[in-house]
Amino acid sequence: MTNKYMYFIANWKMFGGLNSLNSLHKVAKFYKKFHKSKFAKIIYCPPNTLIRPMFKKLVNSRIDVGAQNCHENESFGAFTGSVNPRMLKSVGAKYVIIGHSENRQSGEKNKLINSKIKSSLNSNLKVILCIGETLKEKRKKITKKILSLQIKAGLKNIRNKKNIIIAYEPIWSIGTGIIPKTNELLDTINFIKKNNKKLKVLYGGSVNPKNIQTLKSINNIDGFLIGGASQNPKKFIDIIKKTYN
Ligand code: PGA
C-alpha cells in the first residue's frame, strides 16, 4: 500500500493511429474516479502524429500528453523530418522523453541528448531522461559507471533540475518480459538518488499487471515508464490500481 506521488508514463513508441484514441476515455473515466488520483500522475507519450488529437481528447481529464523525442534546435530550421520542442509544446505536449535506449542505439550520443534537454527546458517542456545499461555492461558490472556517465553528460551545465525526471530502463529488460531482481533494482535506484538528490527516479522495462506486485514493493521508485502494456487501457489501469492496493 502506498500513498506516494507516483508517475505512470505511457510510451506508445511507433504504435497507434487515430482509432487508438477511441479507448482513452476508459482511462480518463478511471482516473477521474480513482480515489488516489491526486497521488498518481498519468502522462501519455504517443507518436507525434497523435499529440494534438490526444491532447484534445484528454482535455479536462488532468492526464498530460508528452512526446517521445525532439530535435535539439530551439527555433525553426532546415531539418527535414524533425520537430523541435517548441513545436511540440504548441500542440499540447507538456513532457518529452529524451535519451530512450531505442534512440541511443540508433546513434544518439550523450552530447546530443544534453542539447535536446537544454532546448526542451528552454521551451518549457518537462524532460524524462532515460538511462540504462546493456546486458553486456551489466555482466561486466559497470552498470553504475554507465548510469553516472549518462546522467552527468546528459545534465551537463543544467543547474535547475526541477523539471527533470529520470527513467532507469535497463536495456535488457525493455520488451523482454525480464525485470531486474528486487535487491538489484533497489540498490540501483538508491545509487541514482544518492547522487542526484531531489530527482524523481522511475523504473521502465517490461512493467505489466503481474510484475507490478513485485515492483511496487521497491519503495524508492517514483513511478513507471510503461511501453507495451500502456497500449492496452485495461492493462494500464490495472498497473495503476495494483500499485496502490
Ligand atoms: P516495455 O518498454 O514496457 O515494452 O518494456 C518500456 C520502454 O521502452 O519505455
Side-chain angles (χ1 to χ4, degrees):
M1 172 85 171
T2 178
N3 270 340
K4 212 170 112 179
Y5 194 91
M6 298 280 270
Y7 288 82
F8 297 87
I9 305 183
N11 174 12
W12 275 14
K13 311 192 177 193
M14 199 174 73
F15 290 98
L18 286 171
N19 59 358
S20 321
L21 306 181
N22 294 341
S23 54
L24 279 184
H25 66 274
K26 290 184 191 159
V27 182
K29 196 172 150 204
F30 153 76
Y31 191 51
K32 207 168 169 189
K33 290 204 188 134
F34 186 51
H35 63 295
K36 298 275 192 248
S37 59
K38 63 177 188 293
F39 299 118
K41 178 91 206 140
I42 300 182
I43 304 158
Y44 266 94
C45 299
N48 286 350
T49 46
L50 296 180
I51 290 179
R52 188 65 185 169
M54 189 183 260
F55 171 79
K56 284 188 175 169
K57 272 242 150 121
L58 293 175
V59 97
N60 298 327
S61 70
R62 293 191 297 127
I63 295 175
D64 286 329
V65 180
Q68 299 171 13
N69 200 357
C70 64
H71 192 271
E72 69 274 23
N73 229 50
E74 256 173 70
S75 49
F76 293 141
F79 302 103
T80 305
S82 301
V83 177
N84 74 21
R86 232 193 268 177
M87 294 155 89
L88 295 169
K89 176 88 187 171
S90 75
V91 290
K94 268 198 187 167
Y95 292 79
V96 60
I97 296 172
I98 295 183
H100 192 282
S101 61
E102 284 151 14
N103 296 319
R104 289 182 190 261
Q105 277 163 342
S106 51
E108 200 170 76
K109 297 277 183 289
N110 284 321
K111 194 163 179 276
L112 178 62
I113 289 168
N114 178 248
S115 305
K116 289 185 177 192
I117 296 177
K118 283 181 185 155
S119 79
S120 296
L121 294 174
N122 288 341
S123 306
N124 290 318
L125 287 178
K126 296 182 192 214
V127 169
I128 301 141
L129 167 62
C130 295
I131 57 168
E133 81 285 4
T134 62
L135 189 57
K136 205 170 158 197
E137 289 160 346
K138 178 181 159 56
R139 285 188 177 139
K140 276 192 183 162
K141 300 198 186 324
I142 55 168
T143 297
K144 289 179 179 170
K145 191 176 150 205
I146 296 293
L147 301 182
S148 299
L149 181 80
Q150 288 173 338
I151 297 176
K152 197 169 166 230
L155 301 183
K156 194 173 172 193
N157 296 329
I158 298 173
R159 237 175 288 142
N160 186 350
K161 301 189 179 66
K162 114 175 174 300
N163 288 328
I164 293 169
I165 297 168
I166 303 274
Y168 168 56
E169 299 203 302
I171 296 171
W172 48 272
S173 175
I174 295 176
T176 59
I178 304 166
I179 59 166
K181 292 196 184 91
T182 306
N183 58 338
E184 273 177 11
L185 189 50
L186 183 76
D187 180 55
T188 310
I189 303 270
N190 270 341
F191 170 78
I192 299 167
K193 287 195 159 184
K194 205 174 87 203
N195 294 302
N196 300 279
K197 301 223 163 50
K198 288 191 193 152
L199 282 186
K200 298 278 181 205
V201 182
L202 319 185
Y203 167 76
S206 293
V207 177
N208 64 37
K210 275 191 190 148
N211 61 28
I212 194 66
Q213 303 285 14
T214 308
L215 290 167
K216 76 171 186 190
S217 69
I218 304 172
N219 55 20
N220 58 359
I221 294 179
D222 298 306
F224 303 98
L225 179 54
I226 305 157
S230 73
Q231 287 159 41
N232 177 322
K234 194 178 165 298
K235 285 188 185 168
F236 193 52
I237 292 171
D238 230 28
I239 290 171
I240 300 170
K241 272 193 195 159
K242 285 181 177 164
T243 302
Y244 290 93
N245 272 338

